[in-house]
Amino acid sequence: MTSSPTPSRVFAALRRHGLALLVPCSILAITFGGYRDNLQKEEASRLLLFQAQARVQVNHLRERAGSLLQLAEKLHTLRPESTGKRPDGLGPVLAQHPEILRVGVLRRGPGGSLITHSAGPRPADPPPAPAASPRGAPPALGGKPMLSAPYALPGDGAQGRQAVLILSPLPGTRREFAFIEVGTEPLLHHGVAPDEGLSGAPRFVVDVLDTTDAPRPVFTSAAAPGSHDSTTKSLGAYAEGITLAQRHWLVIVSPGAAATGALLDSGSGRWLVGGLLLTLLAIAIQHTVQSRADAVRRQVDEKTQALAEANDALGRYIGALADANRRLASEVDEHARAESQLRETTSLQRAILDCAEYAVIYTDAKGTIRVINPAAERLFGYRADELIDKATPQILHPDEHAPRWTLEGSTIGLISLPPGAESHSAEFDMRRRDGSLFPASLSVSIVRDTPGQIRGYLGIIADITQRVDAESRIRHLAHYDNLTSLPNRSLLNRHLADVLSAARARHRRVAVLVTDLDHFKYVNDTLGHLAGDQLLLAVAQRLRTGVRDGDLVARTGGDEFVIVLADLDETYLPEEAGERLLASVARPFELAGHQLTVTMSVGIALYPHDGVDGDTLVKNADAAMYLAKERGRNQARFFDHGLSGRYSERLELESRLRQAFEARQLALYYQPQVDTLSGELIGMEALIRWCQPDGSMVPPDKFIPIAEECGLIVPIGAWVLREACRQQQAWLQEGISRVPVGVNLSARQFDDTTLLATIQAALAESGLPPAYLDLELTESLVMGNPEHTRQVLAECKQLGLQLSVDDFGTGYSSLSYLKRFPIDRLKIDRSFIADIVTEPDDAAIAQTIIAMAHTLRLEVIAEGVETEAQLALLRRWRCDAYQGYLCSRPLPADEMTKLLRQLRATRQVALANI
């Protein structure tokens, strides 16, 4: 009895389709379950976030309204006069609270009428009487501010704007009340959190009700589009009451327009999309597997049928196979003989490659390495298995040689070949495994097969480091001095020709300095030639470090050196360079256990004034050098004893400065220093000015450096100290100044041993208390010699002086180092203040200096403040004081006296009003 085929077909169908349906259905069930759970968690999280943000809104509104009530309690100090003019202190209040419509005073007139005196942006109409007072009379407040019920502003028509009134009794009277009229809409706009404002597309809808007596609307936000969708409705609303001066407000915060995002922006959406994609992937995989199984079954059936047919034909081929086997045996013997010969040839080639002294690399037509010999492994530091099948340039060539990699415009290799060439040689740097480069000689040849097609490229590489080093040594010996390694006369002549050619094209000046050691023969005679060579080496090093990087120092023989100063301008003069070199060489040398001091003479020739070619300039500079030796040695001399126009101007200005100092043409100007918050004068800085007889002014940055160089700054600085102390004492005696005056000290003054004596004499001569003198020192001066600085500053503090660091931020900027000095204040350089409004980097630097200085208990003064925006930032950063044109330009003594008298009169009037 045969079994029915129906169960087998059912089983096959279940096996074919059941698993395909079970897996996707299971994944879908898990996906939708997880989606529902994630959706519930996201809704709970949004509800908590909404409530927290709503509380922030209510707290900001409470703080804003509270600040207005506190302002009302202090309003009596700013009450407007009957003239209606705005008090001086009322401007900042209105700027800080834009929601204030008016500020003023209510007085009871005859018959209980109200008389209003106010100031503010709204017209001075009488404010409505508070609802709590009969017949419009202000209520008895008991000394505390009172908040009125909201009322509509007159003249708004259909706009429906509302305001509230804050009343505060004025001390000493029962008929006068200070009031603040506050618009509810701007109060709500400025009272909410800055990042959750009501402008633009609101994230919240805020409604405020006055529930003191009967619910009355104070403010109602317009509902944003989308604020009533299912998402926002699920969050509900948040309500909280606040009490403001006996009135109760109920703040209701509802969610605004919900942020609509893509499905993948939420976790539940990503879960749902991921589950659906996974389901589709499972279906695709199941379908692929099933299709491949069906194809395999069909192939099995077809192969089985073909196998049966092949078995039939097999018998026919057996006879032919026997004949073929006999022929194959003879061919195998022949192939074995050929293979033996090939092994012998390959072994010979391998031996040749292994014994080769040069590196051999064979690449295929695409530039991929196929063969490498041991010499190449040693040269590049790679094992053969690390280079086989690797592209050549990425391993052996530096990146800058990329243009040489191309072979026939498309492939890469050892080096590109010229068009039509079968071989090519080149020298360039190649790269080892450790990344180091070495000079190499590379020869590349094309390898072709029998039909003439390119099979690959054979490269032979040799390390030519020794040859390159030898050539470099030869070039060095030909162009450089063997003892000092400085350029010799040959390289000097070539360099001088190039410099003069460039100077001729650019119309620039060039200086040639010829130097010769004074009495060098005595060194050789007394200490020996070895010590003389050591001295020449030391002198060469000092000369090299004493000039710019682009200048040339050459040794032309014996103890003679030639220096070429190219591209001269007003900031780099040859005579100044000569003086620096003289000072550098004059420092003692340590030679063979002896301390030796030598000098040298310098001759200077200028192009084009003293010659237009190198030989002439060197000859003239040499003549000037001998002139320097004749005039006493240890000095620099120009060839024609003349000075350039710039040098003549400098000498003329120095002469005029000396005459101006003797003729009392110098004067002190004073610039106020003002507290950033109160605007009060806290100090002033004395600044020197040079007013010529014709009324023109010489800028300080032009004559002060000259005074520093010629030493005139010391007597000028002493005069500045005496004059500043005298003028400050005069202001103290008149009673118009109680703030210190700052005096700048130069580096030469600070190093002068008579500095403390000069300060003491100026204080004693003027009778000025030391606390009213503030010495200002630059940052580089303070950090130049810390030990000397600490000693001098300590002695200044013992005298009772104040100390400031000027131009802070332009030098070392080390606050941690400054804490070791008795500094009272820092002055931020004007270069950082100028762009703090527009440049975030300057703003960050200034803010950091202020914060760090305060941690060290130092006062901070900002220099060069010229705009209100700069002052606003300094106030925000809690900078102590500022000076600049925003406050006042530097004033002469008589104008500063007038300003101080005006400030004293203003203070007296203010005290009288209080």
Side-chain angles (χ1 to χ4, degrees):
M1 180 178 178
T2 60
S3 61
S4 173
T6 302
S8 62
R9 287 198 298 269
V10 172
F11 179 77
L14 289 175
R15 183 181 63 183
R16 180 179 178 84
H17 302 291
L19 183 61
L21 294 176
L22 179 60
V23 173
C25 291
S26 300
I27 295 176
L28 286 175
I30 295 173
T31 298
F32 283 109
Y35 173 70
R36 183 177 61 255
D37 294 341
N38 288 338
L39 196 60
Q40 292 174 355
K41 293 178 182 178
E42 290 175 359
E43 290 180 354
S45 177
R46 283 196 298 271
L47 177 59
L48 292 176
L49 179 60
F50 162 70
Q51 291 179 351
Q53 293 175 341
R55 281 193 293 271
V56 172
Q57 299 293 328
V58 175
N59 289 336
H60 275 279
L61 179 59
R62 180 184 288 111
E63 293 173 0
R64 191 73 176 191
S67 66
L68 291 172
L69 293 176
Q70 294 176 1
L71 178 62
E73 293 180 354
K74 304 175 182 179
L75 197 61
H76 64 275
T77 62
L78 303 174
R79 67 185 186 184
E81 300 298 330
S82 60
T83 60
K85 295 183 179 179
R86 178 186 296 180
D88 293 339
L90 198 54
V93 174
L94 295 178
Q96 185 178 2
H97 296 279
E99 64 270 21
I100 296 178
L101 303 179
R102 285 190 299 168
V103 178
V105 176
L106 287 177
R107 295 188 178 92
R108 283 196 181 97
S113 61
L114 297 179
I115 302 174
T116 305
H117 299 286
S118 64
R122 207 170 74 81
D125 298 328
S133 62
R135 297 181 304 277
L141 304 178
K144 296 294 184 178
M146 174 182 178
L147 181 69
S148 72
Y151 57 87
L153 291 173
D156 276 358
Q159 295 181 1
R161 293 195 303 164
Q162 297 191 90
V164 294
L165 205 62
I166 300 175
L167 294 176
S168 177
L170 298 177
T173 176
R174 302 181 61 185
R175 304 180 61 86
E176 295 183 355
F177 301 85
F179 74 87
I180 301 176
E181 186 177 31
V182 181
T184 58
E185 181 177 353
L187 174 61
L188 264 296
H189 275 281
H190 294 282
V192 297
D195 57 343
E196 309 288 350
L198 299 176
S199 61
R203 295 178 58 182
F204 299 98
V205 176
V206 181
D207 297 324
V208 182
L209 300 177
D210 187 339
T211 60
T212 306
D213 302 320
R216 300 177 62 179
V218 177
F219 177 80
T220 301
S221 298
S227 60
H228 298 292
D229 57 13
S230 59
T231 303
T232 57
K233 288 181 179 179
S234 65
L235 299 179
Y238 176 83
E240 184 177 344
I242 59 176
T243 301
L244 304 173
Q246 295 86 38
R247 299 203 69 84
H248 304 284
W249 284 11
L250 179 63
V251 181
I252 303 172
V253 182
S254 304
T260 59
L263 181 61
L264 295 180
D265 290 344
S266 63
S268 59
R270 290 190 293 270
W271 179 277
L272 178 61
V273 172
L276 294 177
L277 292 177
L278 185 60
T279 301
L280 294 176
L281 179 61
I283 294 172
I285 293 174
Q286 185 68 23
H287 179 267
T288 302
V289 172
Q290 189 64 43
S291 299
R292 291 181 62 86
D294 294 342
V296 169
R297 280 194 295 273
R298 288 193 299 270
Q299 290 179 2
V300 169
D301 294 340
E302 293 173 358
K303 296 294 183 181
T304 302
Q305 182 65 28
L307 183 59
E309 295 175 356
N311 287 335
D312 295 337
L314 182 59
R316 295 191 297 270
Y317 293 130
I318 290 178
L321 183 59
D323 296 336
N325 284 338
R326 288 190 295 270
R327 291 192 300 271
L328 182 60
S330 63
E331 292 176 0
V332 167
D333 293 338
E334 184 179 354
H335 178 72
R337 290 191 297 270
E339 186 176 355
S340 176
Q341 294 176 357
L342 179 60
R343 281 196 298 269
E344 293 177 0
T345 303
T346 303
S347 299
L348 180 60
Q349 293 175 351
R350 185 77 260 179
I352 294 174
L353 287 175
D354 293 345
C355 296
E357 182 181 357
Y358 300 104
V360 178
I361 296 178
Y362 173 77
T363 69
D364 59 16
K366 295 183 178 179
T368 303
I369 298 175
R370 297 303 180 190
V371 178
I372 181 172
N373 71 335
E377 292 179 278
R378 293 190 298 270
L379 181 61
F380 293 100
Y382 291 94
R383 298 193 310 273
D385 57 349
E386 294 176 327
L387 289 181
I388 301 300
D389 297 332
K390 297 294 191 303
T392 344
Q394 289 84 343
I395 298 177
L396 306 181
H397 290 299
D399 296 337
E400 58 267 25
H401 293 163
R404 304 185 182 183
W405 300 346
T406 303
L407 293 176
E408 298 183 355
S410 60
T411 59
I412 55 178
L414 291 169
I415 193 172
S416 61
L417 297 177
E422 290 293 316
S423 62
H424 183 62
S425 298
E427 294 181 359
F428 50 83
D429 291 339
M430 299 192 77
R431 181 171 57 190
R432 293 188 175 92
R433 181 175 185 171
D434 59 1
S436 62
L437 302 179
F438 67 97
S441 174
L442 173 63
S443 297
V444 178
S445 300
I446 298 177
V447 178
R448 299 183 183 271
D449 56 11
T450 303
Q453 299 296 324
I454 296 178
R455 292 186 56 190
Y457 300 89
L458 181 64
I460 300 176
I461 305 167
D463 185 353
I464 58 174
T465 302
Q466 294 182 355
R467 193 194 78 190
V468 171
D469 291 342
E471 293 174 353
S472 177
R473 285 193 296 272
I474 292 174
R475 287 194 299 269
H476 186 273
L477 292 175
H479 297 95
Y480 292 88
D481 176 58
N482 191 33
L483 174 63
T484 62
S485 294
L486 292 176
N488 58 15
R489 188 178 298 276
S490 174
L491 186 56
L492 167 67
N493 293 335
R494 182 185 305 175
H495 176 79
L496 190 54
D498 295 339
V499 168
L500 293 178
S501 177
R504 192 176 300 110
R506 299 173 56 193
H507 303 287
R508 304 303 293 266
R509 293 193 307 155
V510 177
V512 175
L513 284 67
V514 173
T515 70
D516 188 85
L517 296 181
D518 298 330
H519 306 298
F520 177 72
K521 182 177 181 298
Y522 297 157
V523 177
N524 283 333
D525 293 343
T526 56
L527 300 179
H529 289 279
L530 179 59
D533 290 344
Q534 294 177 354
L535 176 61
L536 290 175
L537 281 171
V539 170
Q541 179 64 27
R542 292 190 183 182
L543 293 179
R544 179 62 267 176
T545 57
V547 296
R548 300 170 300 181
D549 291 339
D551 297 333
L552 179 78
V553 178
R555 182 188 178 208
T556 56
D559 58 339
E560 184 175 278
F561 298 88
V562 178
I563 303 169
V564 179
L565 305 179
D567 200 18
L568 297 177
D569 54 23
E570 295 181 353
T571 63
Y572 194 79
L573 300 177
E575 58 270 27
E576 295 176 352
E579 293 296 332
R580 284 196 301 270
L581 295 175
L582 288 172
S584 176
V585 173
R587 297 198 310 270
F589 294 90
E590 291 289 338
L591 295 177
H594 298 83
Q595 191 175 65
L596 179 65
T597 301
V598 297
T599 61
M600 74 177 180
S601 301
V602 180
I604 305 174
L606 299 176
Y607 166 86
H609 185 268
D610 299 328
V612 295
D613 61 274
D615 292 338
T616 302
L617 289 172
V618 172
K619 181 185 66 175
N620 293 340
D622 190 68
M625 182 267 294
Y626 281 106
L627 178 62
K629 285 183 176 293
E630 293 174 1
R631 296 296 176 88
R633 306 179 186 272
N634 192 26
Q635 58 181 289
R637 288 284 179 176
F638 283 92
F639 167 68
D640 58 353
H641 307 289
L643 299 172
S644 63
R646 174 70 180 89
Y647 193 65
S648 299
E649 180 184 356
R650 178 184 176 279
L651 289 179
E652 179 187 0
L653 189 60
E654 177 182 344
S655 175
R656 288 168 48 205
L657 179 59
R658 294 182 184 276
Q659 296 175 5
F661 179 63
E662 295 173 358
R664 299 184 179 274
Q665 295 178 9
L666 302 180
L668 288 186
Y669 280 48
Y670 300 86
Q671 188 171 31
Q673 298 169 344
V674 180
D675 187 275
T676 55
L677 296 179
S678 65
E680 295 182 355
L681 182 70
I682 59 96
M684 64 188 78
E685 181 180 4
L687 302 170
I688 191 169
R689 295 293 185 265
W690 179 4
C691 182
Q692 300 185 101
D694 59 358
S696 61
M697 303 287 289
V698 179
D701 57 354
K702 190 172 182 180
F703 70 86
I704 289 180
I706 294 179
E708 287 267 8
E709 295 172 4
C710 68
L712 193 59
I713 194 65
V714 175
I716 291 179
W719 171 82
V720 170
L721 280 170
R722 292 194 303 272
E723 178 62 17
C725 291
R726 184 200 62 77
Q727 183 62 65
Q728 176 72 340
Q729 179 62 16
W731 287 332
L732 285 174
Q733 291 177 348
E734 189 177 347
I736 59 177
S737 173
R738 288 293 184 269
V739 297
V741 60
V743 175
N744 292 281
L745 289 183
S746 69
R748 295 194 65 165
Q749 281 182 276
F750 194 74
D751 293 334
D752 187 13
T753 56
T754 63
L755 174 62
L756 291 176
T758 302
I759 296 174
Q760 291 172 338
L763 293 173
E765 180 181 339
S766 62
L768 178 70
Y772 289 98
L773 179 60
D774 181 11
L775 298 182
E776 297 188 3
L777 304 91
T778 62
E779 184 182 5
S780 57
L781 185 153
V782 171
M783 297 299 184
N785 188 345
E787 295 302 324
H788 174 68
T789 299
R790 183 185 305 169
Q791 178 182 358
V792 175
L793 295 185
E795 294 176 353
C796 290
K797 292 303 290 185
Q798 289 178 359
L799 293 178
L801 305 177
Q802 298 192 39
L803 301 174
S804 300
V805 176
D806 197 11
D807 300 334
F808 188 80
T810 59
Y812 294 86
S813 302
S814 175
L815 284 169
S816 61
Y817 208 94
L818 285 178
K819 70 181 181 181
R820 299 161 61 182
F821 301 135
I823 301 298
D824 298 304
R825 63 188 58 83
L826 300 180
K827 300 183 71 176
I828 304 177
D829 187 71
R830 65 180 64 249
S831 61
F832 295 105
I833 302 300
D835 298 325
I836 59 173
V837 178
T838 58
E839 292 293 336
D841 291 341
D842 288 352
I845 292 173
Q847 187 177 8
T848 303
I849 292 174
I850 293 171
M852 294 179 66
H854 284 166
T855 61
L856 297 177
R857 297 182 296 279
L858 299 177
E859 297 180 12
V860 183
I861 299 178
E863 296 180 300
V865 179
E866 298 180 357
T867 65
E868 290 289 345
Q870 294 171 342
L871 179 58
L873 284 177
L874 294 173
R875 285 173 174 165
R876 185 188 306 171
W877 299 335
R878 304 181 66 83
C879 181
D880 299 293
Y882 73 96
Q883 71 181 81
Y885 278 24
L886 179 63
C887 170
S888 172
R889 60 181 176 83
L891 302 174
D894 55 345
E895 294 185 21
M896 191 65 193
T897 302
K898 295 178 182 178
L899 177 61
L900 292 174
R901 290 171 179 169
Q902 292 174 1
L903 292 175
R904 182 183 63 176
T906 303
R907 286 195 299 270
Q908 291 175 349
V909 170
L911 292 174
N913 291 335
I914 294 176

